[in-house]
Amino acid sequence: MREIDQRLASKRQAAELGGGQARIDRHHQRGKLTSRERLEILLDEGSFTESDMFVEHRCVDFGMQDQKIPGDGVVTGWGTINGRLVFVFSQDFTVFGGSLSEAHAEKICKIMDQAMKSGAPVIGLNDSGGARIQEGVASLGGYADVFQRNVLASGVVPQISMIMGPCAGGAVYSPAMTDFIFMVKDTSYMFVTGPEVVKTVTHEEVTHEELGGAETHSTISGVCDLAFENELHALRKLREFYDFLPLNNREKPPVRPCEDPPNREETSLDTLVPENPNQPYDIRELITKTVDDGHFFEIQPDFARNIIVGMARMNGSTVGFVANQPLVLAGCLDIKSSTKAARFVRFCDAFNIPIVTYVDVPGFLPGTAQEYGGIIKHGAKLLFAYAQCTVPKVTVITRKAYGGAYDVMASKHLRGDVNLAWPNAEIAVMGPKGAVEIIFRSDIGDAEKIEQRTEEYREKFANPFVAASRGYIDDVITPARTRTHICKALAMLANKQLENPWRKHDNLPL
Ligand code: HXC
């Protein structure tokens, strides 16, 4: 072998060995894969092209000049997922804990810049102790350079973060500005400051898991969109999720050949909604029975469970689904569910993904906890998101659509394109009982009269026909034919054109 070839081979080997075999072994013992092993699972076989394998840090403090590892703790490049281009970076915890140096940041920035030019998503596999402590402000600057690119790429190319180890400090803020954050249970953590700092500052004693584990962030904080059992499962599900997304904001979502007939009827849906309007039912059943092959990819399933969001396909094309869930809090809108759905609606709108909304909502959740928490502002986020979005919007009211929540949930008034209702839908300012107690307050002592008034109100307003007579509902449909109606509507809307007025940017109620 020529000397130069030998040098190249040994440099490659050094890069591939990262922080050394001992650290790799320790990493494996923790149930974690190395940065390169992760990429092998995520990407199509043989598709990965690595760049910047020989980049080294430039730090000379704390003896760092003698500790240079080619690649400097992050593997970057591009490849394909089911044949579609993707840019990736995968942090190597065996090299200084995956911490971000100036050079490490430059590598990430380089592939982000290329992703923007090529119009393809960026997936980050994050496993990092944050800013490289030995480098001081140079690493902070590196983070800011990444943050700036996250923001400029937002809404231009999809950005997905998979958290695969302890991520602290800057290592959580870059993911926070990406579109989706996925985590691996038991081996990944996200926190701004770790348990030791928490103890010093607030005297709270908390474990890594309690403070920032996948369970915490997928159920309590809502920071995490999905938590997976292990790394292998996580990476495979990420491949599945990727297939739903367009590569950039100028593309339509990918279309797959579909064997499931668009006019498939589902007679069981005719009895999905119970006779008793106060009895709950599982709206997820409606989603899975109407989408292609029952395949629904739910996002944030364990957070704000009173609303369901996720991706599916209708006649082969990606569609975003939003649905009130009567099983939880009767499907009310509250702070968390409004924020969750608003973010999802905005993602779909940014990337040309049509939105189907299933409505069964008794209103906004009342109470001091909600008011003090700012439900006015947070509920307005969902209203704002639906009103602003220009992608095709198809809405089906299955039962209740009361009050402000009727307006919010992709109503005709917010430029809903096709608004449908099932025959038993109730569309009114509020439920019959509440309405009668307000407008006939003087009759409250007279149970018979109240009962009669309630029946009268129900007869008059608790149906879809008043809204249909005004054209707010385009049609009242048989539940069994819901899929047919949605597929027809989406086909009609395939080339929908709608633009909002020019502005620098809107002022979403944050
Ligand atoms: C340099 C680091 C490092 C860091 C870890 N290491 N974090 N080196 N800079 N930030 C090194 C360790 O020295 C160790 O080296 C190796 O990585 C593995 O770390 P361990 O502590 O042995 O691993 P573990 O017990 O699993 O703990 C992982 C950890 C912990 C939870 C990430 O290392 C940790 O708390 N690190 C510091 C986190 C932090 O405070 N980061 C700065 C945040 S400030 P050896 O040689 O022994 O293998 C920040 C500012 C940006 O990011 C803010 C922008 C908004």
Side-chain angles (χ1 to χ4, degrees):
M1 204 190 256
R2 285 187 309 161
E3 194 196 330
I4 187 72
D5 294 334
Q6 254 168 4
R7 198 161 156 220
L8 173 63
S10 88
K11 280 241 174 216
R12 279 197 196 284
Q13 206 178 13
E16 279 161 14
L17 208 55
Q21 197 56 49
R23 286 195 183 86
I24 293 176
D25 292 344
R26 216 164 36 238
H27 197 69
H28 280 153
Q29 276 157 16
R30 288 177 163 181
K32 293 166 72 180
L33 298 166
T34 65
S35 50
R36 285 196 163 76
E37 287 164 348
R38 288 168 177 162
L39 289 175
E40 269 173 38
I41 297 165
L42 176 67
L43 302 173
D44 296 339
E45 202 181 336
S47 72
F48 182 52
T49 302
E50 186 167 347
S51 74
D52 285 342
M53 191 188 226
F54 306 121
V55 162
E56 292 175 349
H57 70 72
R58 298 181 284 271
C59 180
V60 290
D61 295 316
F62 306 106
M64 288 295 278
Q65 66 277 13
D66 303 323
Q67 302 180 58
K68 295 202 174 186
I69 295 170
D72 201 31
V74 64
V75 182
T76 58
W78 65 91
T80 57
I81 293 179
N82 290 321
R84 299 164 72 233
L85 181 63
V86 62
F87 288 81
V88 287
F89 68 88
S90 179
Q91 290 174 316
D92 185 349
F93 190 77
T94 69
V95 180
F96 307 114
S99 58
L100 182 133
S101 67
E102 186 184 25
H104 178 129
E106 284 165 358
K107 286 181 66 172
I108 295 176
C109 290
K110 195 196 253 189
I111 63 121
M112 291 182 79
D113 290 343
Q114 194 58 54
M116 289 285 277
K117 285 186 260 178
S118 303
V122 179
I123 294 181
L125 305 183
N126 297 266
D127 194 350
S128 168
R132 177 126 1 125
I133 295 165
Q134 295 89 333
E135 288 207 3
V137 72
S139 62
L140 295 183
Y143 261 127
D145 290 339
V146 176
F147 299 156
Q148 180 67 65
R149 281 165 177 80
N150 286 135
V151 173
L152 294 179
S154 182
V156 180
V157 294
Q159 301 177 80
I160 305 169
S161 301
M162 177 69 86
I163 312 298
M164 309 192 84
C167 288
V172 298
Y173 271 112
S174 170
M177 282 183 294
T178 62
D179 297 302
F180 296 98
I181 297 179
F182 298 156
M183 292 180 79
V184 183
K185 288 184 189 166
D186 304 324
T187 51
S188 74
Y189 310 100
M190 294 179 80
F191 29 70
V192 175
T193 52
E196 296 76 20
V197 179
V198 170
K199 193 171 170 197
T200 312
V201 178
T202 70
H203 308 297
E204 279 174 286
E205 296 228 13
V206 66
T207 64
H208 284 74
E209 190 61 45
E210 288 164 348
L211 185 64
E215 177 88 10
T216 298
H217 285 311
S218 59
T219 60
I220 301 174
S221 75
V223 164
C224 165
D225 292 295
L226 276 174
F228 299 105
E229 293 303 324
N230 56 55
E231 296 199 1
L232 193 62
H233 185 226
L235 293 164
R236 289 198 174 137
K237 290 300 273 186
L238 179 48
R239 282 177 63 89
E240 181 185 325
F241 182 62
Y242 194 76
D243 286 350
F244 285 105
L245 309 180
L247 295 184
N248 60 60
N249 62 343
R250 295 185 187 275
E251 261 197 5
K252 290 202 169 180
V255 184
R256 273 195 171 177
C258 172
E259 308 254 300
D260 193 357
N263 59 354
R264 170 172 53 81
E265 292 196 9
E266 192 63 61
T267 47
S268 63
L269 291 179
D270 289 335
T271 51
L272 176 68
V273 176
E275 298 262 318
N276 177 351
N278 297 322
Q279 202 177 317
Y281 62 96
D282 189 356
I283 200 84
R284 198 176 278 107
E285 189 177 331
L286 172 60
I287 301 175
T288 52
K289 284 183 171 168
T290 43
V291 301
D292 290 359
D293 307 309
H295 182 199
F296 177 52
F297 195 102
E298 189 171 349
I299 308 287
Q300 292 198 306
D302 301 316
F303 178 77
R305 292 185 302 114
N306 41 331
I307 206 153
I308 293 181
V309 302
M311 303 286 184
R313 293 184 182 85
M314 292 298 267
N315 201 18
S317 290
T318 303
V319 172
F321 276 81
V322 180
N324 307 113
Q325 171 58 289
L327 283 184
V328 181
L329 291 173
C332 262
L333 288 176
D334 62 354
I335 293 169
K336 288 181 172 178
S337 59
S338 300
T339 314
K340 168 179 166 181
R343 185 155 170 78
F344 182 73
V345 165
R346 283 167 67 83
F347 175 81
C348 290
D349 189 44
F351 291 104
N352 312 316
I353 298 172
I355 297 167
V356 170
T357 307
Y358 289 153
V359 184
D360 189 346
V361 62
F364 281 96
L365 185 66
T368 49
Q370 289 292 311
E371 296 291 355
Y372 295 172
I375 181 66
I376 296 172
K377 203 167 237 191
H378 298 295
K381 288 179 182 162
L382 185 55
L383 174 55
F384 203 104
Y386 267 126
Q388 184 184 40
C389 92
T390 56
V391 289
K393 284 185 276 194
V394 180
T395 307
V396 182
I397 300 174
T398 60
R399 187 165 62 177
K400 296 171 191 167
Y402 285 139
Y406 154 75
D407 279 342
V408 170
M409 296 300 295
S411 63
K412 185 59 93 190
H413 324 279
L414 302 186
R415 304 187 293 183
D417 293 295
V418 175
N419 292 67
L420 307 167
W422 285 3
N424 54 332
E426 304 169 19
I427 306 167
V429 173
M430 60 178 74
K433 193 164 169 292
V436 167
E437 281 172 5
I438 292 172
I439 54 184
F440 299 109
R441 189 165 288 160
S442 57
D443 293 340
I444 276 179
D446 187 337
E448 200 179 314
K449 227 173 184 176
I450 285 287
E451 182 56 39
Q452 190 192 333
R453 299 281 199 205
T454 306
E455 211 29 62
E456 195 184 331
Y457 185 93
R458 194 187 313 279
E459 187 73 358
K460 217 169 182 144
F461 293 115
N463 63 62
F465 300 108
V466 180
S469 73
R470 291 176 167 268
Y472 300 163
I473 292 295
D474 298 298
D475 199 2
V476 180
I477 63 168
T478 314
R481 302 198 67 233
T482 303
R483 175 173 163 84
T484 314
H485 282 281
I486 296 173
C487 286
K488 280 168 82 173
L490 291 172
M492 176 273 283
L493 292 163
N495 295 317
K496 176 185 172 185
Q497 298 279 342
L498 180 62
E499 269 185 32
N500 290 327
W502 185 92
R503 62 187 127 191
K504 187 172 176 195
H505 61 73
D506 58 63
N507 194 9
L508 176 78
L510 292 173

